[in-house]
Amino acid sequence: MDTNQYLEMFLEESKEHLQACNEQLLELEKNPDDLSIVNEIFRAAHTLKGMSATMGYEDIANLTHKMENVLDAIRNSKIGVTSEILDVVFESSDALEEMVLDIEGGGTGKKDVGGLVTMLNQIEAGESPTAEIPAAEAAPARTGALVYDDFEQTVITQSIDQGFHAYELDVTLRDDCLLKAARVFMVFEILEKAGEVIKTNPNVEQLENEEFDNRFTVVLITKEDAADIKAKVEKVSELETAEIHHVQLKRAENESAAAVEAPAKEEIPNPPADSAPAEKPVKKADDKAEASSRRSGSSHSANKTIRVNIDRLDVLMNLFEELVIDRGRLQSIAAELQNAELNETTERMTRISGDLQNIILNMRMVPVETVFNRFPKMVRQLARDLDKKINLEIIGAETELDRTVIDEIGDPLVHLIRNALDHGIESPAERLAKGKPEEGTVTLRSYHSGNHVFIELEDDGAGVNRERVLRKAIERGIVSEDAADMLTDKQVAELILSSGFSTAEKLTDVSGRGVGLDVVKSTIESLGGHISIDSKEGEGSLFQVQLPLTLSIISVMLVEMQKEVFAVPLSSIIETAIIHKDDILNAHNQRVIDFRGKIVPLVDLREIFQTGLPDGEEEYKSVVIVRKGENLAALVVDSFIGQQEIVLKSLGNYLQSVFALSGATILGNGQVALIVDCNALIR
Amino acid sequence: MSAGTENKMIKTIVFQLLDKEYAIEVDVVQSIEKLLLMTITRIPGVPSYVKGVINLRGMVTPIVDLRTRFDLPVTEYDDNTRIIIVNLENFDAGLIVDDANDVIDIPADALESQPEVVGSVESDFVAGVAKIDKRLLVMLNLDHVLKPIRNGQSDDN
C-alpha cells in the first residue's frame, strides 16, 4: 500500500496520541488508582499501534504493543502502578516520540527498542497473576468484559427465569482470517437459528465493518446446550477458538447516568493479557444500544475540526489582502461616481470583508496549550534529575495566540522553567528548614489583557538574592559599584536577564549550558514582547512575559515624508506632537526637545531615510515620541496620516537586515509602506 | 546549468541590457511584469541597485536594477522595461531589464566559461557564454547577482 499520502496525517495523529499518553501518564502518577486513566492511555497506545502497523513502522507497533500489554495488566489489576513501571512506560513513550520525529525528519522510524521491550515484558510477567482482585470496580472497562444496561439485565434475568440459558460466547478468529465480517455473519447465522442474540461486543455495526481485531463476544439467549452451540460455532472455518460461558449478572454499583455505564462484570476473571485488545476506539456514533457504553474520554472526538497547513492560510491571507486592496479602489471609485447603488454595494462589501478578515485571522490562533503540553513531563523529569519535589500548575492553557508567536515562544519558556526549577526552587531539605512545604510549586499562567497575551511563571522558591546578583553583576562589569546601590530590587532582579550572566554558583547540567536568560530576553523582544521579573528573596519569583496577540497584524501610525509613507508601530509610540522650531535646543551637536520635563533627542527621520528635507526651515515640526525601554526619542516627520491596522510582511531573505526597518506592509492603494524599527533608532 | 550531460538543452529566458543579451534559466522565472505598471517603494540605506520593493500580488518583493548592478549606464525606464520575477531558493526578487521577449534553448555543451578578463564587475555574475547562431548569450549566475543584503551591504566578497 502506498502510505505516503497518509504520512502527514499519521505524524500529526501520532503526536496527538503520544501527547495524550504523556498527559494521562502524569495524571496516572498522581492518581494511581484511577483505572479510567489507564484506559485512556491504553486507547491512545492502541490506536498508535494500529496506525503504525498500517504504515509499516514495525518498531513503533512493536513497542506500543508491549506497552499495551503492560497497561492491560494494570487495568486488570494484575500489577499495581509504581513509579518504576511508570518510568519505563514514560521511557517508552519518549522512544516512540523519537521514532515519530525521526519519521517526520524523513527517517525510517527505526530504533532499537529491544531493551525497552524486555523491560516491559518483565513488568508484565514479573508481577503477574495475583488474580485476587477481580472486584467489580477494579476493572471498569476490561475489554471483552461485557457491561449490561438495565434493559439487557432484565431480559437476561427473565429469560433465565423462563428456563432459557444466557451465554456469552467469546469468538476468536484466526490471525490470518481474511473475511472477518463473513465469519461473523456465519457465526451469527448459527446462533440465530439456536436462539436470540441480544448483545455483541463490539456492536453489530462495527462487526459488519470489520472494526475489531479478531475477537468478539456475543450474548445469546437460547434453550440449547452450551456444548452444542460451541460445537456448531467451531465448525466455522478460520476460527481460532469459541468459548462459551454462562452470563453472570452482577449488579453494578455506582451506576451513573447514561454516559458512563457502570462496570458489571461476569465470568472469566482474568483472561490472558494478550487477548485483550478486542476493541478499537471508533470515533463515530454507535447504534443506540451501544451508545451508552461508550465511555467518557472520547470527548475530544466531539470537536469538529479540520487540519489546515499554515501555508495555505498564508495564501488565503495574501489573496484576501488583494481583495482588500481592490476594495480600497472600489471605494474611491464609488466616492467619485456618487452612485447610490454602487455606494451601498461597496459598503456592504466593506463590512463583509471586515468580518472575513477577522475570521481569517482567528484561524491562525492556536491555544498556548500546544506549547504548555510538553512542560508537565519535562518538569517531572527535571525534578527527578535535580532531586526536588515540584508541583507544576498550569492555568489558562486555552488562551489563544497567533501561530507564529506560538512557534517561537516554546524555547524561551523551556529556559525559564529550567531556570525556576534549577535556581528557584530549593531542595526539599532546604525548604523544610525554611518552614516551607517540601514540595515546591511552579505556576505557569497565561491570559489575555488588552492587545496582549501574558505568560507568567511563578515559583515559591528562593527568589533572587540581591547580594549575590549584584556581586556577580559588578564582577562581570554589568553595573558599576556605585550604581549598584541605587538599583531597586526589581532592577537587580532584571540584571539576571543581561547578557553574560548566570546566577548559578556552579554550572549544572540543567541550566548551565553557557546560555543565560539574556537569550530568553532577546527572543521575546524579537517577537515584539517584553519580559519583567518580580522577586522577593526567600519567597519566590515571578517572570512575566508580555507578547503581542499576533505578529501578523499590528497597529501603526502612518506618517508621510516627501510623498513616501512609513509606518511607526503604535506599541513604540508614546504620543505625537507638533513642536515649534524655537523649542528645539542644542546639546552636544545633538538637537533635543524638552518633552514634559524630559530631555528627548530629536531624530529627523527624513535624514535617516534620505527622503529629502523640505526647502527652508519649517516653523513647526511634526514629531512622534517613541520609546525603547526607558529611553525616548522624538522622530521628526513631514506629516501624520493616521492610525491603521496593518498586515506585517517581512522584507524577505534578500533584504536580510536593513537599518531601522523591521518589515513592510501593503496599503489600501496597493503600495508598499515600510515599517520603522524604533528600537534601532534609539541608542 | 550542469554542463557535461550530452546534448541536454537548457531552456532560458533571454533579455536585453544595453546592447547585450543575457539569459537565465526558465525554471527560476516566475513571471515577467511591465515595470511601468508597478509602484516601487524605495528602501533607504541599501545599495543603489536595489530599487526598492513592490507589491507583487500580495508579496513584498525586492527589485534589483541590473544595469546599476552591472555598472552600466543608466537610462530612463520606458514602455519596454520589464521586471523579471525570479524564485531563488530562499527568496523571490525582481530584476529590472531593458526588454525581455525571447525564450531560447541552449544546448548544454554550447555553454563556455567566460573568457577571463580582469577588472570587469560583470565577470563574477557570469556563469558562462553561449553562441547560438550569431547571437552571444551571457548566462547569469543569479546566486552572485542576488547576494543577500545585510545591514545595507551586499554579501559580496
Side-chain angles (χ1 to χ4, degrees):
Chain A
M1 172 162 104
D2 177 25
T3 52
N4 270 338
Q5 52 176 321
Y6 303 115
L7 186 61
E8 206 172 312
M9 208 192 293
F10 166 75
L11 289 171
E12 284 292 325
E13 290 194 9
S14 308
K15 283 193 229 161
E16 225 165 67
H17 286 299
L18 281 172
Q19 183 58 45
C21 249
N22 283 335
E23 274 168 26
Q24 298 293 336
L25 278 169
L26 288 165
E27 203 55 37
L28 182 64
E29 194 171 34
K30 283 187 215 149
N31 312 301
D33 298 325
D34 190 347
L35 290 176
S36 68
I37 300 174
V38 185
N39 277 318
E40 287 295 317
I41 308 170
F42 185 90
R43 217 188 302 262
H46 184 74
T47 314
L48 189 58
K49 179 180 87 168
M51 290 192 311
S52 47
T54 316
M55 297 290 291
Y57 299 117
E58 278 162 26
D59 286 344
I60 298 185
N62 189 10
L63 190 55
T64 34
H65 180 68
K66 295 295 171 206
M67 239 168 96
E68 233 178 63
N69 288 352
V70 168
L71 291 166
D72 195 52
I74 294 176
R75 67 181 188 181
N76 285 326
S77 303
K78 286 192 200 164
I79 53 178
V81 177
T82 65
S83 62
E84 289 76 43
I85 293 179
L86 282 180
D87 277 346
V88 178
V89 181
F90 265 123
E91 221 172 290
S92 312
S93 99
D94 276 346
L96 289 172
E97 212 166 329
E98 238 173 76
M99 289 188 271
V100 171
L101 289 180
D102 181 46
I103 295 167
E104 190 174 32
T108 54
K110 288 207 180 300
K111 186 176 156 68
D112 183 14
V113 291
L116 281 169
V117 169
T118 323
M119 271 197 276
L120 288 169
N121 277 338
Q122 279 166 356
I123 292 173
E124 193 197 344
E127 324 193 28
S128 61
T130 34
E132 49 174 41
I133 10 170
E137 315 99 304
R142 211 197 76 216
T143 30
L146 287 193
V147 170
Y148 298 97
D149 63 26
D150 283 348
F151 175 72
E152 290 158 350
Q153 293 195 2
T154 323
V155 170
I156 293 168
T157 27
Q158 283 180 0
S159 315
I160 294 174
D161 288 348
Q162 288 168 17
F164 286 86
H165 304 290
Y167 297 121
E168 222 169 74
L169 183 69
D170 288 331
V171 181
T172 311
L173 298 174
R174 283 220 312 261
D175 281 343
D176 55 357
C177 174
L178 285 176
L179 293 165
K180 293 195 286 186
R183 300 304 159 200
V184 171
F185 176 75
M186 290 165 81
V187 170
F188 270 63
E189 209 177 28
I190 296 166
L191 294 181
E192 274 162 5
K193 272 182 196 154
E196 205 169 335
V197 174
I198 61 160
K199 188 180 174 66
T200 66
N201 180 37
N203 69 40
V204 179
E205 194 183 315
Q206 282 166 269
L207 288 175
E208 279 171 359
N209 294 332
E210 298 200 356
E211 283 163 1
F212 65 104
D213 276 357
N214 51 7
R215 184 172 183 273
F216 62 94
T217 309
V218 182
V219 181
L220 179 72
I221 296 189
T222 178
K223 285 205 161 169
E224 287 190 36
D225 197 51
D228 285 354
I229 291 171
K230 183 172 152 78
K232 282 185 196 167
V233 170
E234 277 178 343
K235 288 219 175 81
V236 175
S237 55
E238 293 188 348
L239 198 132
E240 180 96 38
T241 56
E243 281 177 46
I244 195 157
H245 312 274
H246 280 281
V247 171
Q248 286 171 4
L249 286 180
K250 199 167 191 177
R251 195 108 187 114
E253 298 99 12
N254 61 15
E255 196 165 9
S256 57
V260 182
E261 213 179 66
K265 203 171 144 358
E266 62 311 299
E267 61 199 334
I268 17 171
N270 275 311
D274 56 349
S275 71
E279 173 204 39
K280 262 192 183 176
V282 181
K283 291 184 183 178
K284 64 172 178 181
D286 296 308
D287 63 49
K288 61 179 188 289
E290 285 288 307
S292 57
S293 73
R294 289 276 131 217
R295 282 160 296 269
S296 61
S298 38
S299 58
H300 31 86
S301 68
N303 277 336
K304 279 190 191 156
T305 54
I306 174 168
R307 278 177 222 286
V308 182
N309 188 316
I310 190 93
D311 292 344
R312 287 200 193 170
L313 286 186
D314 284 344
V315 173
L316 181 65
M317 189 80 195
N318 280 336
L319 285 174
F320 181 75
E321 276 156 24
E322 277 185 76
L323 198 66
V324 171
I325 291 161
D326 287 343
R327 179 186 74 190
R329 285 190 189 141
L330 208 55
Q331 275 173 324
S332 61
I333 294 170
E336 250 170 59
L337 292 181
Q338 284 305 335
N339 176 316
E341 271 180 59
L342 178 61
N343 277 340
E344 200 180 307
T345 318
T346 317
E347 267 166 38
R348 267 181 64 81
M349 191 185 149
T350 308
R351 229 179 10 252
I352 294 171
S353 55
D355 292 348
L356 201 54
Q357 177 171 9
N358 275 336
I359 291 172
I360 295 175
L361 287 177
N362 272 328
M363 281 199 288
R364 298 172 51 94
M365 300 296 268
V366 183
V368 271
E369 204 176 356
T370 48
V371 180
F372 285 7
N373 272 338
R374 56 201 241 215
F375 296 142
K377 199 169 139 206
M378 188 187 98
V379 167
R380 175 187 187 270
Q381 193 56 45
L382 274 178
R384 287 181 155 245
D385 291 351
L386 293 167
D387 238 345
K388 290 179 182 177
K389 293 202 169 159
I390 285 151
N391 171 31
L392 175 72
E393 277 179 22
I394 293 183
I395 300 169
E398 70 286 348
T399 313
E400 288 189 329
L401 255 175
D402 189 86
R403 178 60 193 252
T404 41
V405 185
I406 292 272
D407 288 346
E408 299 291 328
I409 198 62
D411 289 343
L413 286 181
V414 167
H415 222 91
L416 285 181
I417 291 176
R418 288 187 159 171
N419 182 70
L421 261 55
D422 198 11
H423 307 317
I425 304 284
E426 313 91 332
S427 68
E430 231 173 288
R431 291 181 64 89
L432 284 176
K434 285 185 185 174
K436 291 185 186 179
E438 197 183 15
E439 187 181 60
T441 303
V442 176
T443 311
L444 188 59
R445 202 179 297 120
S446 175
Y447 55 91
H448 280 147
S449 175
N451 242 347
H452 288 92
V453 169
F454 288 85
I455 298 177
E456 294 180 344
L457 186 76
E458 192 171 5
D459 68 64
D460 63 349
V464 172
N465 182 321
R466 186 183 167 100
E467 297 306 308
R468 211 159 71 194
V469 169
L470 278 181
R471 199 174 64 226
K472 190 153 272 177
I474 294 167
E475 223 170 80
R476 311 243 156 127
I478 296 167
V479 284
S480 69
E481 221 157 318
D482 302 333
D485 291 337
M486 310 279 289
L487 295 174
T488 63
D489 282 355
K490 193 174 163 68
Q491 284 170 322
V492 171
E494 278 167 11
L495 281 178
I496 63 175
L497 297 174
S498 35
S499 66
F501 198 96
S502 172
T503 42
E505 289 291 273
K506 57 175 192 279
L507 293 184
T508 63
D509 226 14
V510 178
S511 52
R513 292 191 185 140
V515 264
L517 288 172
D518 55 316
V519 181
V520 174
K521 188 180 178 185
S522 63
T523 314
I524 287 167
E525 282 177 354
S526 76
L527 291 173
H530 179 71
I531 177 168
S532 67
I533 306 176
D534 262 318
S535 181
K536 259 204 176 135
E537 200 173 340
E539 287 176 31
S541 318
L542 170 71
F543 289 78
Q544 189 184 56
V545 177
Q546 181 188 344
L547 291 166
L549 257 188
T550 166
L551 288 185
S552 45
I553 296 226
I554 59 171
S555 289
V556 294
M557 171 78 151
L558 294 179
V559 297
E560 196 174 35
M561 292 175 278
Q562 297 290 310
K563 301 284 166 224
E564 288 185 34
V565 177
F566 288 82
V568 184
L570 229 48
S571 56
S572 317
I573 298 181
I574 294 184
E575 64 174 85
T576 57
I578 298 198
I579 52 167
H580 193 263
K581 66 173 188 212
D582 293 343
D583 293 336
I584 300 171
L585 314 165
N586 268 309
H588 273 309
N589 296 331
Q590 169 68 61
R591 296 194 297 166
V592 298
I593 55 166
D594 180 349
F595 175 71
R596 298 187 206 289
K598 218 171 171 178
I599 299 298
V600 175
L602 209 58
V603 178
D604 203 326
L605 270 195
R606 300 168 297 189
E607 272 170 36
I608 299 224
F609 289 149
Q610 306 132 27
T611 55
L613 295 166
D615 308 323
E617 179 84 353
E618 323 121 281
E619 190 86 355
Y620 290 94
K621 285 177 195 279
S622 307
V623 295
V624 186
I625 317 279
V626 295
R627 78 184 151 131
K628 175 196 183 187
E630 307 287 304
N631 301 319
L632 302 182
L635 310 179
V636 184
V637 301
D638 278 357
S639 61
F640 309 129
I641 297 175
Q643 187 185 327
Q644 199 173 322
E645 299 246 302
I646 55 152
V647 179
L648 187 68
K649 308 224 165 203
S650 109
L651 285 173
N653 276 331
Y654 178 61
L655 300 167
Q656 286 183 339
S657 61
V658 181
F659 175 68
L661 293 177
S662 58
T665 186
I666 295 172
L667 300 175
N669 62 6
Q671 284 195 31
V672 181
L674 301 172
I675 297 168
V676 180
D677 177 6
C678 296
N679 288 338
L681 289 173
I682 302 175
R683 229 194 350 178
Chain B
M1 273 169 258
S2 57
T5 35
E6 74 286 347
N7 287 331
K8 209 180 126 222
M9 292 299 227
I10 303 168
K11 205 178 246 321
T12 61
I13 298 272
V14 173
F15 59 87
Q16 191 90 26
L17 271 187
L18 216 57
D19 52 351
K20 275 195 220 162
E21 284 192 304
Y22 295 81
I24 50 180
E25 272 185 278
V26 79
D27 293 352
V28 299
V29 175
Q30 180 195 318
S31 62
I32 298 175
E33 314 280 335
K34 258 195 169 181
L35 180 122
L36 290 187
L37 298 179
M38 298 283 173
T39 319
I40 301 180
T41 300
R42 188 184 62 94
I43 299 204
V46 291
S48 60
Y49 56 80
V50 181
K51 287 292 152 197
V53 287
I54 57 165
N55 164 20
L56 184 76
R57 288 176 280 281
M59 302 292 289
V60 173
T61 311
I63 301 299
V64 168
D65 185 318
L66 278 195
R67 275 196 181 227
T68 323
R69 183 67 169 129
F70 297 162
D71 281 348
L72 301 173
V74 182
T75 51
E76 287 277 301
Y77 299 138
D78 62 24
D79 207 38
N80 286 328
T81 314
R82 294 288 183 274
I83 302 178
I84 303 181
I85 308 291
V86 294
N87 297 122
L88 297 192
E89 210 173 304
N90 295 317
F91 56 83
D92 294 355
L95 306 170
I96 300 181
V97 300
D98 291 356
D99 202 347
N101 45 19
D102 225 344
V103 180
I104 291 184
D105 285 324
I106 302 180
D109 49 13
L111 209 57
E112 292 166 37
S113 59
Q114 154 99 333
E116 289 282 329
V117 185
V118 183
S120 158
V121 186
E122 241 178 85
S123 59
D124 268 358
F125 306 139
V126 175
V129 289
K131 209 170 163 227
I132 307 291
D133 303 330
K134 290 204 170 144
R135 302 164 76 174
L136 189 70
L137 301 178
V138 180
M139 197 75 185
L140 283 186
N141 181 344
L142 282 186
D143 289 335
H144 280 243
V145 175
L146 294 172
K147 274 263 173 102
I149 308 284
R150 216 177 303 217
N151 298 324
Q153 295 299 314
S154 145
D155 272 3
D156 282 341
N157 65 58

